[in-house]
Amino acid sequence: MGWFSRRPRAVEGIPTTLDREATREDLTALEDFVAAHRGVEFYLEPETTATDTTVVAIAHDGEWIRRRTGSPRTAAKLAHRHAVPLYEAAKTGYPERMRVWNRAHPERRLR
């Protein structure tokens, strides 16, 4: 039986109905994070059925934010413009300093 073949597929480049598109505010938040922190690296997260393409910006101390970028190309342009390295999270994983920061700031999970 074709259970999965009956589900509609997302069209390339069009976000699912469960998601919202990236906004200028998302990109501004990433730019502000880069300006306010040192040693920032970007980790690209691919589009899923529930979320548009996102970037996790991680500072030298492990503090981080996640924002939508809309596409990998937009993320790459943003990284290039601010001279920030861009990694694919699915290939490299996240740095240990992010997990250490999360353990030290449990209040962040309540947001």
Side-chain angles (χ1 to χ4, degrees), residues 18-84:
L18 299 176
D19 195 22
R20 67 170 176 81
E21 293 183 17
T23 63
R24 182 65 208 152
E25 289 78 24
D26 290 324
L27 301 178
T28 300
L30 289 168
E31 290 173 334
D32 292 347
F33 189 85
V34 169
H37 298 80
R38 64 183 175 88
V40 175
E41 298 173 331
F42 283 173
Y43 289 81
L44 181 70
E45 299 174 324
E47 179 178 339
T48 67
T49 57
T51 306
D52 202 1
T53 302
T54 55
V55 163
V56 178
I58 306 173
H60 78 285
D61 62 354
E63 184 177 354
W64 61 275
I65 64 166
R66 175 182 283 119
R67 296 292 184 271
R68 289 170 177 82
T69 60
S71 73
R73 176 176 279 170
T74 301
K77 286 180 183 178
L78 187 64
H80 180 73
R81 183 175 25 216
H82 294 283
V84 173

Side-chain angles (χ1 to χ4, degrees), residues 43 58 61-62 93-103:
Y43 289 81
I58 306 173
D61 62 354
Y94 301 100
E96 179 61 26
R97 67 181 183 273
M98 180 182 176
R99 288 183 280 283
V100 169
W101 193 89
N102 283 340
R103 286 191 295 272

